[in-house]
Amino acid sequence: MLGENLLIRLWETLVNDGIGSLASPWQIKRVGMAQAEVRRNEMLILAQTELEVEQIKQGKKKLLHDGKLIEIETSNPDINYSTDYLGRIEPTFNFDDFSQKCEQHKKAEEIQQEININKTIYLAEEELLRSQQEPPDKKVDSDWILRWREHAKNTKNDELRHIWARTLAGEVKSPGSYSLRTLEFIKNLSQEEAIAIAKLGHFVASKTIFKCPQLEKQGINFEFLLQMDDLGILNGVQGGDFSGLQLQVKSQKTEKYISNLINRNKILLIEAEDPNKILSLECYQISKIGREILSLGDFSADEQYMMELGNKIKDQGFEVKIASWVQTHADYGQYFDGKLV
């Protein structure tokens, strides 16, 4: 139910800003078809349309003003051949035919952009349907949606398309989560960079990456951290201090020490009798854009990393439990199946 409510919020947001899929949600409800069935049919239509777009670009088909698609001759329509006074055959440029070809290519590109947008929206729908988070009171900013559309419409790469979909879904769940600067960052991101950044995502606990042996085991060494600093995901690594920074974690309560560290689907629950006790951990600082980008990954916490982190905390005299975590709101969630570290 919560996922469906978020889906309705997505539809309302897109319709209000003139963005939508082939069949609107209101049409789906009216004909009584299942959401999954409608989307399946639409994906088949988009796949066929994408093939026809390529044929238009290749000059094999032509899109008429009434929307009909017709077969055309495969010979080059832009160039005719004439014989000069010496008897040589020379090519002659045909401006009208070339202009028509440019117009056809432009139409094909516009259709492809709409296909890209629709495919990305479907992925965002799937993200929201899996969510157990309550719909927020705040709505997505119209300028943000329009900027998102301008960036997402030119993305055909599946890896990057999933990132755009999660950005849209995340903004619907918590408006203001992703800045316009972050949208610009994603626009300039290559597939290789996206894959590299994703390696860090399993190790972000409460917006911080803590130093543990598991990082090195997973290839997150000093060279990799420098690369992330260069991209703007981390801060301070280029200073040359591989040991990182020291993070001081104070109690969230006054009667006793209580704190926690959340990493995706896992949470460390930290307690001690002395409320003035301070937890100290070595960490690597994530930039603001880095935090927003890393929240877009679709992955779970690295459990070995969380256990190592739990033991580091336990060694400082704290009682530590590891539990499963579900985010039910932008600001809070629920944990269950807690076990002592």
Side-chain angles (χ1 to χ4, degrees):
M1 178 61 73
L2 292 177
E4 291 179 1
N5 291 336
L6 283 169
L7 197 58
I8 291 171
R9 176 61 59 85
L10 170 66
W11 287 339
E12 290 173 345
T13 300
L14 296 176
V15 169
N16 288 341
D17 289 291
I19 305 171
S21 54
L22 300 179
S24 75
W26 328 124
Q27 289 172 320
I28 294 171
K29 288 184 178 180
R30 191 162 56 246
V31 299
M33 293 176 69
Q35 165 78 9
E37 183 181 356
V38 173
R39 290 300 180 241
R40 208 164 31 241
N41 292 338
E42 289 186 6
M43 290 302 287
L44 291 173
I45 293 171
L46 290 178
Q48 178 60 37
T49 305
E50 208 159 17
L51 290 174
E52 292 172 345
V53 164
E54 285 303 313
Q55 291 178 321
I56 294 171
K57 290 179 179 179
Q58 294 168 11
K60 296 178 180 179
K61 290 188 177 181
K62 182 177 181 180
L63 185 64
L64 302 179
H65 292 293
D66 61 2
K68 291 181 180 178
L69 199 63
I70 62 170
E71 300 275 351
I72 61 175
E73 294 181 7
T74 57
S75 59
N76 193 331
D78 305 334
I79 301 175
N80 294 321
Y81 293 88
S82 62
T83 304
D84 66 7
Y85 70 97
L86 293 176
R88 294 174 302 188
I89 299 176
E90 297 286 344
T92 304
F93 183 75
N94 187 321
F95 181 81
D96 289 337
D97 287 343
F98 182 71
S99 178
Q100 287 183 27
K101 184 176 181 180
C102 289
E103 182 183 351
Q104 288 293 308
H105 194 276
K106 182 180 179 181
K107 287 179 180 178
E109 281 297 320
E110 290 172 349
I111 295 170
Q112 182 64 61
Q113 288 172 348
E114 289 303 314
I115 291 171
N116 295 340
I117 287 293
N118 277 272
K119 285 185 174 182
T120 308
I121 290 172
Y122 300 161
L123 292 173
E125 289 178 353
E126 291 174 2
E127 288 284 328
L128 292 175
L129 280 173
R130 292 196 297 266
S131 176
Q132 299 184 50
Q133 190 170 313
E134 301 169 12
D137 296 327
K138 189 178 177 183
K139 294 184 177 180
V140 180
D141 181 73
S142 291
D143 288 340
W144 189 96
I145 281 289
L146 293 175
R147 188 76 67 87
W148 175 88
R149 185 188 189 282
E150 282 303 302
H151 293 329
K153 72 181 183 182
N154 294 313
T155 301
K156 293 180 68 176
N157 177 277
D158 284 339
E159 186 75 27
L160 296 177
R161 181 176 285 151
H162 274 86
I163 292 176
W164 284 118
R166 292 180 194 125
T167 307
L168 176 59
E171 191 70 10
V172 169
K173 288 190 288 186
S174 181
S177 293
Y178 302 105
S179 66
L180 296 179
R181 286 184 61 204
T182 295
L183 297 187
E184 198 69 26
F185 182 95
I186 298 171
K187 184 190 77 170
N188 297 314
L189 199 63
S190 70
Q191 183 180 9
E192 292 74 18
E193 289 169 339
I195 292 171
I197 292 170
K199 286 180 67 175
L200 280 179
H202 302 278
F203 307 100
V204 180
S206 297
K207 301 179 181 180
T208 306
I209 296 176
F210 296 97
K211 188 179 179 184
C212 286
Q214 183 67 358
L215 294 181
E216 284 269 10
K217 293 174 186 175
Q218 296 301 317
I220 301 176
N221 52 26
F222 187 53
E223 183 180 352
F224 182 85
L225 293 169
L226 280 174
Q227 180 189 356
M228 293 298 103
D229 191 303
D230 188 54
L231 282 173
I233 300 299
L234 300 180
N235 287 332
V237 180
Q238 291 192 19
D241 184 8
F242 185 46
S243 64
L245 305 172
Q246 286 289 135
L247 180 68
Q248 308 294 316
V249 185
K250 296 182 179 180
S251 176
Q252 298 170 358
K253 303 290 183 180
T254 55
E255 62 275 11
K256 63 181 295 187
Y257 187 99
I258 294 179
S259 185
N260 61 69
L261 296 173
I262 300 169
N263 181 0
R264 295 288 177 170
N265 60 320
K266 293 294 179 181
I267 182 172
L268 292 177
L269 304 163
I270 309 162
E271 293 186 11
E273 290 301 320
D274 183 2
N276 296 315
K277 197 173 176 65
I278 296 176
L279 173 63
S280 181
L281 293 167
E282 290 181 323
C283 68
Y284 303 108
Q285 187 179 19
I286 306 174
S287 68
K288 183 178 184 300
I289 283 182
R291 291 196 298 270
E292 294 181 12
I293 295 296
L294 287 167
S295 71
L296 294 170
D298 183 21
F299 32 64
S300 301
D302 185 296
E303 292 199 33
Q304 180 62 33
Y305 165 77
M306 293 299 283
M307 288 299 295
E308 289 178 357
L309 182 56
N311 279 308
K312 275 178 170 281
I313 298 169
K314 182 180 175 182
D315 289 344
Q316 295 184 41
F318 294 90
E319 180 184 274
V320 185
K321 289 182 181 178
I322 184 168
S324 296
W325 173 261
V326 175
Q327 195 80 26
T328 57
H329 188 274
D331 300 319
Y332 53 80
Q334 297 177 342
Y335 67 85
F336 54 94
D337 294 338
K339 298 176 183 177
L340 284 170
V341 173

